[in-house]
C-alpha cells in the first residue's frame, strides 16, 4: 500500500491525463496501482478504471484522433473515489437492461456491482464518471 494511504485523516488527490487510445487503458490501470499498491481493493479499482476508460474511448470524443481522457483518484484511508473525465459525446452513461441479449452493455453494471456508489457529472461537452469504493484500513488488512 502507498504509505500516503496509512494516514486516517488525510485525503490525497492524484490526476493524470492520457491519450485516448486503447493502449492507454493499461497505463491507466498502472496509474491506479502506483498509488494503491498492494491494497486489498487494488484489483477492484483496476477493473473499474478499465471499464470507465474504455467507455471514454469508445463512447466519447476522447477516442477520436487527438482525444484524451483523464483519471483522478481521491483517496483516504478508508475510501477511494475514482473518476474518469472524457471529452463528451451524444450518448449518456446508463445501465443497460439485464434482459438484453446483447453481450455489450455490461461495463457500467460491473462498476455498479463493484462500487458503493457511482455517478455522472457534465454534459455533451465533457463528462466525469466516478465510482466510490470502500478501502480496507491498513490495520485490518492482515
Ligand atoms: N463516458 C460515457 N459517455 C457517454 N456515454 C457513455 C459513457 N459510458 C457509457 N456510455 C453509454 O452507456 C452505455 C452503457 O455502458 P456500458 O459500459 O455498460 O456498456 P458498453 O460500453 O456499451 O459495453 P461493454 O462495457 O459491455 O463493452 C453505453 O453503451 C453508452 O451508450
Ligand atoms: Mg463499456
Amino acid at each position: 500500500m502507498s504509505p500516503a494511504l496509512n494516514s486516517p485523516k488525510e485525503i490525497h488527490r492524484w490526476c493524470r491525463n492520457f491519450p485516448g487510445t486503447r493502449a492507454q487503458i493499461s497505463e491507466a490501470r498502472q496509474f491506479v496501482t502506483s498509488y494503491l499498491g498492494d491494497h486489498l481493493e487494488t484489483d477492484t479499482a483496476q477493473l473499474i478504471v478499465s471499464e470507465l476508460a474504455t467507455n471514454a474511448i469508445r463512447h466519447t470524443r476522447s477516442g477520436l484522433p487527438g482525444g484524451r481522457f483523464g483519471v483522478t483518484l481521491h483517496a483516504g484511508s478508508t475510501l477511494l473515489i475514482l473518476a474518469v473525465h472524457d471529452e463528451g459525446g451524444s450518448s449518456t452513461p446508463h445501465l443497460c437492461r439485464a434482459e438484453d441479449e446483447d453481450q455489450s452493455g455490461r461495463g457500467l453494471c460491473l462498476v455498479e456491482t463493484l462500487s458503493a456508489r457511482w455517478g455522472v457529472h457534465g454534459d455533451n461537452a465533457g463528462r466525469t464518471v466516478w465510482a466510490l469504493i470502500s478501502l480496507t484500513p491498513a490495520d485490518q488488512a492482515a
Side-chain angles (χ1 to χ4, degrees):
M1 182 192 311
S2 165
L5 296 185
N6 286 327
S7 169
K9 291 185 180 168
E10 294 179 41
I11 300 283
H12 298 267
R13 180 171 170 268
W14 299 287
C15 309
R16 187 169 144 192
N17 289 318
F18 300 85
T21 62
R22 294 195 66 83
Q24 293 297 312
I25 294 169
S26 61
E27 296 294 321
R29 290 169 64 96
Q30 182 55 41
F31 172 68
V32 169
T33 307
S34 68
Y35 289 108
L36 293 187
D38 59 357
H39 204 285
L40 285 179
E41 285 79 21
T42 297
D43 287 352
T44 297
Q46 284 192 342
L47 268 173
I48 290 173
V49 82
S50 289
E51 293 299 332
L52 298 185
T54 299
N55 281 351
I57 292 168
R58 185 184 295 169
H59 301 300
T60 82
R61 282 185 286 272
S62 295
L64 297 179
R68 299 176 72 77
F69 68 93
V71 177
T72 302
L73 306 177
H74 300 265
S77 58
T78 60
L79 64 84
L80 172 71
I81 298 172
L82 198 162
V84 173
H85 319 284
D86 63 50
E87 296 185 339
S90 56
S91 64
T92 304
H94 62 276
L95 292 176
C96 294
R97 290 178 301 145
E99 61 267 28
D100 286 349
E101 294 288 322
D102 195 344
Q103 284 304 302
S104 68
R106 303 297 162 94
L108 289 177
C109 289
L110 186 64
V111 171
E112 175 158 276
T113 300
L114 294 176
S115 66
R117 293 191 66 178
W118 72 280
V120 183
H121 290 297
D123 55 27
N124 288 11
R127 291 188 175 84
T128 296
V129 186
W130 59 269
L132 168 67
I133 60 176
S134 299
L135 297 178
T136 305
D139 58 0
Q140 295 176 24

